[in-house]
Every structure is written in structure tokens, then in C-alpha cells.
Amino acid sequence: MRRRNLLLSVPALLAAPARAAPALPVVASFSILADMTREVGGPAVAVRSLVPADGDVHVYEPRPSDLLAIRGAALVVTNGLGLEGWLERLLPASGTTAPVVVAAAGVTPRHMAEGVDPHAWQDPRNGILYARAIADGLVRVAPDQAADIRALEQDYARRIAETDAWIAQEVATVAPERRRILTSHDAFFYFGARYGIDFIGVQGIDTESDPSAAAIAALVRQIRAENITAVFVETMTSPRLARTVARESGAVLGGEVYSDALSPPGGPADTYLKMFRYNVTLFVQAMRGG
Ligand SMILES: [Zn+2]
């Protein structure tokens, strides 16, 4: 009898673990926060990203299904720092009573001429603070899962710190005077400040429209005058401008990097940590001269 009971109990355990509670529905504003929330929440959460992979969180237009997802969520995870203006209207409209995590609440914000720079996740040390804020929010709505969530958070923080150390090592292989990159969107100032890379934004050109020949010529002059070694564009913006100025200035066109959105699953940057591995490999290659 004893033996038979044991045999029966094994598949029963596999099918229904003792701690199986229904996964908490969590809504994250964009794909990077959704990935972080999955890391920290593990099997305790079912995460939905409002802005899809490869989407532009700055100009997102919410769909009716987003409203329903927020209404049904146990927790809402946002970046804050003014990134998700559209969400500030959506949250009250949804009627949600779920707590809202502001993942960037603990970071030291950087300021630009236009206001606060929201791209704080691009410094992995901030990523650790994000993970902490998300874990705090999850523990608040699922206190019975606190031990598991804290263990996952600690493991994730350790892996983020490892990635940070790896990036510092990689960047150290580039001569300091070559660490100058032009990007089409000002998303890498936190990253640049962390690793000693100058990211220079495109001056005087609206990247949404077709630049004039005079504007392109001005940009080529800027690249030469500022000794910029590499030009990058983001996955979500048109590569045409960067391609033109790289060709005419002699800077290396570094390819597409991920700043505000992950790639779809199976793509080269489908997690926060893979995004760093992918971007840094391209940045370092381009700064060394292609
Ligand atoms: Zn951005």
C-alpha cells in the first residue's frame, strides 16, 4: 500500500504543486518592465505589456483592450519620470483600484533641456532599483509569495550586477577618445554616464521627417567637428538619416540598437539583460572602428 501511494502521489505533485495559486494578472506599461516583472514574479505572475515589443512607448496609442487589462490587473507597473503620458489618462479611465508601481521612483533622475530624462533603465544599477520597486509592489499584493519573490529579486539583481561588470569590462577595451556615439534618439545618457561614453544627439533635425540636404550637410559637419566615431539608430526610428550621414561623414554606422523596447520573443534582445549584451557588442565594435 505504501508503495502504491507513493507512485500515485508523484504525478499528482507534478500536476498540482502544493503552492499553486492562480497567477496574478500584472500589467506593465512597456516590454522592458514586463520582462523585469516576469523575472521578479516568476510563476506567481501573468504579465501583459501594454506597448508591444518593438513599440514606441513615447507615442503609444492605447487600445480598448488595454483598458480592460488594466481594469483586471492586480498590479500596474510603470516607469514614471514622465515617460508614459498616455497612461496618466488611461489609469483613471480604467477604474482600476490596483496599486501602481513607479519603477524609477528610487533612481537619481538626469535632467535635459527638455526636462527629466526618463530612460533610467539604461543604467543597470538603476535596473536593480527597478527590480526592487517591482518586488515591493508584488509583495504588497501577494504577501504569501514574499519569500519566493524576494529570492527571485535577489537572483535577478545579481545577474544585473554581473551584466554591469561585463559592460564596464567591454567599454574599457575602447580608447576613451573614441567613446563618442551619435544616436537618433536621446535614450542613452544614463548608459553613457555609467560607462564613460559620450552620446551625442542629432542636432536640428526632426527624425520623423525627411531631412533636407542642408540639414544632412550640417549633421556631417557636426560629426566631424565633434570627432564622433559611430552613428546608431534605434529599432523604432527610420535608419535612412543615419545611413546617409554615416556614409558622408566617414563615421561607422553601427546598426540598430534597443533603447525603449525589447525585440519580440526569439529576437536578439528579447530580455532586459540580452538587450545590454546586444547593444554593447554593437557599440564596442563600432567605437573600435567597425
Ligand atoms: Zn525613449
Side-chain angles (χ1 to χ4, degrees), residues 44 111 148 216 279:
H111 295 270
D148 289 352
I216 292 173
N279 288 353

Side-chain angles (χ1 to χ4, degrees), residues 2-146:
R2 196 184 167 115
R3 188 168 177 174
R4 193 171 148 213
N5 279 343
L6 184 66
L7 285 171
L8 278 173
S9 69
V10 170
L13 276 173
L14 289 174
R19 311 186 62 179
L24 277 174
V26 179
V27 165
S29 57
F30 70 114
S31 50
I32 292 170
L33 295 181
D35 175 58
M36 290 176 161
T37 305
R38 286 187 191 104
E39 288 277 3
V40 172
V45 297
V47 185
R48 176 192 169 122
S49 178
L50 297 180
V51 181
D54 280 340
D56 186 344
V57 63
H58 294 281
V59 295
Y60 182 63
E61 287 178 24
R63 298 157 298 175
S65 59
D66 295 334
L67 211 61
L68 292 174
I70 293 173
R71 190 174 299 161
L75 187 72
V76 177
V77 179
T78 70
N79 182 75
L81 304 180
L83 180 70
E84 307 107 326
W86 47 271
L87 194 60
E88 282 154 30
R89 297 184 293 276
L90 200 60
L91 280 174
S94 75
T96 181
T97 54
V100 176
V101 170
V102 178
V107 312
T108 304
R110 294 181 61 79
H111 295 270
M112 304 187 297
E114 315 87 80
V116 173
D117 179 355
H119 305 90
W121 62 87
Q122 286 291 347
D123 180 336
R125 296 171 307 179
N126 288 339
I128 292 173
L129 300 177
Y130 276 43
R132 166 60 56 85
I134 293 167
D136 289 348
L138 288 173
V139 165
R140 186 172 154 197
V141 294
D144 55 320
Q145 309 274 333

Side-chain angles (χ1 to χ4, degrees), residues 57-58 83 118-119 121 185-187 234 236 259-260:
V57 63
H58 294 281
L83 180 70
H119 305 90
W121 62 87
H185 173 63
D186 296 337
E234 293 174 335
M236 60 195 187
S259 64
D260 298 7

Side-chain angles (χ1 to χ4, degrees), residues 260-282:
D260 298 7
L262 300 177
S263 63
D270 58 1
T271 70
Y272 177 60
L273 294 181
K274 281 203 230 166
M275 174 194 76
F276 284 120
R277 297 267 166 184
Y278 184 84
N279 288 353
V280 169
T281 301
L282 288 184

